[in-house]
Amino acid sequence: MKPQGWDEFLKQITQDYELHGKLKEIFLVRFAYENWRKSDKEIWELAEAASHETYKKQMTEVYKYFSGDKPNGCPELEISSKGPGKFQILREWLRDIKYVEWRQAGTVNVKNLNLALPNSSNTAIYIERPPIETDCFQEIHKSGALLRIKAPEKMGKTTLIKKILSYSEASNFHTVYLNLQVAESAMFVTLDKFLRWFCANITRELRLKPELDEYWDEDLYGSLVSSQTYFQNYLLEQLEEPLILGIDNLQRVFEYPEIAKDFLPMLRHWHEEAKNVEIWQKLRLVLANSTEAYIQLDVNQSPFNVGRQVKLPGFNLEQMMQLAQQSGLEQNETIKEFAQSLIKLVNGHPYLVKQAFFAINQDKLAPEKVLQDAATQGGIYASYLLRHWENLQKQPELITAMQKVIENPTGVQLEPILAYKLEGMGLVTIAGDLVQPSCELYRRYFKDHL
């Protein structure tokens, strides 16, 4: 099913990347959802190009607008590369990164959003946080491995998943990246519909022919058994090498408890099948979520207490200086002092650090100005903080909880579900039974605005 608002999204992209005339028409036709699986030879007539050769030249021009050397371009898209792979690269970047940003931003112009909020998923700039990457690479080689990446939003979960999948591809493994955030609400109406969507999308990404009807019988066997049979007897059976399945934004399923209470134990069961059934050793799961699961799961059914947990900390000073250098800033004492101040202000939060370096390098703001106005409505974090404020307004009980946290900077006890929700939003940290603001920026801002 077409992603909701996909046509409107494509039109917005043509504006943001300044595609006009025939190039705009070519782009809209080529990346229309119904044309994703069609070859270029089928597309050129639909796009009313003068000839197939003309169409190919025009598509080459289109790719240049999105190349990795351009601001806000697709990091993996190199115009020097040849072959049809460029379409898949750009399509997946638009679908998995830009479309998600567009949906989350609502009616905000994507171009303006990117200028104000540098893309945290841009893999052109990647700062390692040892030993996280090495540990993940080693773990993924284990039969039936399960990696659990948990961190607040914009801490680098998606980037790490892509890094793991890129490494896995270099190891000749099969890889699939599935972002639950792009699934329409209609896919979560029933467990059966969701699982069929889940299996069908994985099949498509593996470039296999969907054969769900051959293995699926909801009435006779149920959806869970049908999906397991499909995976075991069809998908895994056809793969000679391991399949690394990265599921991003897993918290989306938490919004649908009736589905989550079956889907999450299913992932746990598939992981444990590797101990008993050889073919399941091919499947290695990488799960990423930003919140705790609020549904009640038996301890023996939860996927959140098995496998290897990966926590993403904020950048330390050395990592921040690496990011400053990659962002085009000189390595001098002024920038070092600024980075040290940022550690105190935002606790090394990668996205907020990127914003600060972007403001200095691109907007030419003075470091002291960035720090002075950080928690104000005129500061560089204004829109970011406003979104957090708006999310709190939707849940009055979280406002009360956050007020208690702000009033007790040394720590306060909260009901577990409230503490976990605030932690999932990235606003607090939990140490033992005590909840504290996760950084000075939030303490200052919410002290004045709650």
Side-chain angles (χ1 to χ4, degrees), residues 410-421:
T410 58
V412 64
Q413 291 188 351
L414 295 177
E415 294 181 21
I417 191 169
L418 297 178
Y420 284 133
K421 284 185 177 182

Side-chain angles (χ1 to χ4, degrees), residues 270-409:
W270 287 6
H271 162 66
E272 293 186 332
E273 280 290 85
K275 301 174 185 177
N276 307 310
V277 183
E278 183 177 357
I279 196 170
W280 283 98
Q281 294 177 5
K282 294 181 183 179
L283 179 65
R284 289 93 194 265
L285 296 170
V286 183
L287 311 179
N289 65 282
S290 61
T291 56
E292 293 284 346
Y294 307 131
I295 61 171
Q296 295 296 320
L297 288 179
D298 186 284
V299 68
N300 297 313
Q301 294 183 318
S302 172
F304 302 114
N305 55 11
V306 293
R308 186 181 187 120
Q309 184 177 35
V310 181
K311 290 188 175 181
L312 296 180
F315 288 156
N316 59 31
L317 181 59
E318 179 183 355
Q319 292 158 356
M320 291 174 69
M321 294 303 290
Q322 291 178 27
L323 178 59
Q325 184 176 28
Q326 292 193 35
S327 300
L329 296 174
E330 294 183 10
Q331 300 290 287
N332 55 39
E333 196 62 32
T334 298
I335 295 301
K336 185 175 181 179
E337 291 177 0
F338 178 62
Q340 291 172 327
S341 298
L342 275 181
I343 289 179
K344 298 177 182 178
L345 181 66
V346 302
N347 201 23
H349 190 298
Y351 178 74
L352 300 179
V353 172
K354 285 181 183 180
Q355 278 192 301
F357 289 158
F358 181 88
I360 294 174
N361 190 41
Q362 298 297 323
D363 297 335
K364 308 304 180 184
L365 292 181
E368 57 270 19
K369 182 67 172 175
V370 172
L371 297 172
Q372 178 183 336
D373 296 343
T376 71
Q377 296 183 31
I380 65 170
Y381 301 127
S383 59
Y384 175 83
L385 293 168
L386 178 61
R387 286 198 297 276
H388 276 306
W389 181 87
E390 289 174 340
N391 287 333
L392 288 176
Q393 299 303 310
K394 298 173 185 177
Q395 303 179 72
E397 71 278 9
L398 291 186
I399 294 179
T400 302
M402 192 64 190
Q403 287 172 333
K404 292 180 180 179
V405 173
I406 299 302
E407 292 168 0
N408 297 272

Side-chain angles (χ1 to χ4, degrees), residues 428-447:
V428 304
T429 57
I430 303 175
D433 293 327
L434 295 180
V435 182
Q436 297 175 300
S438 58
C439 66
E440 178 66 11
L441 176 67
Y442 297 147
R443 189 194 67 79
R444 291 186 197 172
Y445 179 79
F446 289 111
K447 182 180 180 181

Side-chain angles (χ1 to χ4, degrees), residues 18-199:
E18 300 180 345
L19 284 168
H20 302 290
K22 195 61 184 177
L23 293 183
K24 176 180 177 180
E25 295 176 24
I26 292 283
F27 172 85
L28 292 175
V29 172
R30 171 72 278 194
F31 288 90
Y33 177 79
E34 58 269 23
N35 295 334
W36 278 3
R37 298 161 193 82
K38 294 178 181 177
S39 67
D40 281 339
K41 289 185 178 181
E42 293 176 279
I43 295 298
W44 76 269
E45 291 185 339
L46 294 175
E48 298 180 348
S51 68
H52 186 225
E53 289 301 315
T54 301
Y55 165 81
K56 288 196 296 184
K57 292 179 181 178
Q58 290 170 328
M59 277 304 298
T60 298
E61 290 300 312
V62 168
Y63 292 133
K64 289 181 181 179
Y65 280 78
F66 299 94
S67 62
D69 61 348
K70 299 289 183 65
N72 301 315
C74 173
E76 292 85 6
L77 185 61
E78 299 178 3
I79 298 305
S80 59
S81 62
K82 297 182 179 180
K86 286 187 289 189
F87 168 70
Q88 281 85 359
I89 290 172
L90 183 54
R91 179 201 68 187
E92 291 172 9
W93 179 71
L94 288 170
R95 182 193 64 193
D96 297 338
I97 303 298
K98 306 306 290 184
Y99 174 73
V100 174
E101 290 180 351
W102 180 78
R103 286 284 302 274
Q104 292 175 341
T107 59
V108 177
N109 181 277
V110 176
K111 181 177 181 181
N112 292 335
L113 178 70
N114 284 335
L115 288 172
L117 307 173
N119 183 1
S120 63
S121 299
N122 188 339
T123 54
I125 296 180
Y126 184 84
I127 305 299
E128 291 192 355
R129 284 175 266 190
I132 290 174
E133 291 81 8
T134 301
D135 289 346
C136 290
F137 296 160
Q138 292 176 349
E139 190 72 17
I140 215 66
H141 278 278
K142 298 179 181 179
S143 298
L146 189 153
L147 283 169
R148 296 179 286 114
I149 305 171
K150 179 180 179 294
E153 289 186 2
K154 299 186 181 297
M155 282 292 289
K157 298 184 297 299
T158 297
T159 310
L160 180 57
I161 288 182
K162 295 294 183 70
K163 196 77 173 177
I164 294 169
L165 294 181
S166 178
Y167 169 84
S168 301
E169 288 178 356
S171 301
N172 294 319
F173 293 165
H174 301 282
T175 64
V176 170
Y177 173 79
L178 190 62
N179 188 347
L180 297 190
Q181 199 66 46
V182 304
E184 304 97 313
S185 298
M187 296 298 102
F188 296 88
V189 173
T190 65
L191 176 66
D192 187 72
K193 190 164 188 176
F194 173 73
L195 289 179
R196 288 179 71 93
W197 173 89
F198 178 76
C199 291

Side-chain angles (χ1 to χ4, degrees), residues 188-239:
F188 296 88
V189 173
T190 65
L191 176 66
D192 187 72
K193 190 164 188 176
F194 173 73
L195 289 179
R196 288 179 71 93
W197 173 89
F198 178 76
C199 291
N201 276 272
I202 293 171
T203 305
R204 182 187 63 186
E205 293 303 317
L206 290 170
R207 294 175 173 80
L208 297 174
K209 180 183 178 182
E211 295 284 358
L212 273 73
D213 292 339
E214 295 294 321
Y215 295 86
W216 211 279
D217 193 325
E218 179 189 8
D219 294 330
L220 188 59
Y221 300 112
S223 303
L224 291 173
V225 172
S226 294
S227 58
Q228 178 164 335
T229 302
Y230 182 77
F231 242 82
Q232 177 174 317
N233 297 345
Y234 181 59
L235 294 184
L236 296 179
E237 188 67 37
Q238 296 198 56
L239 305 179

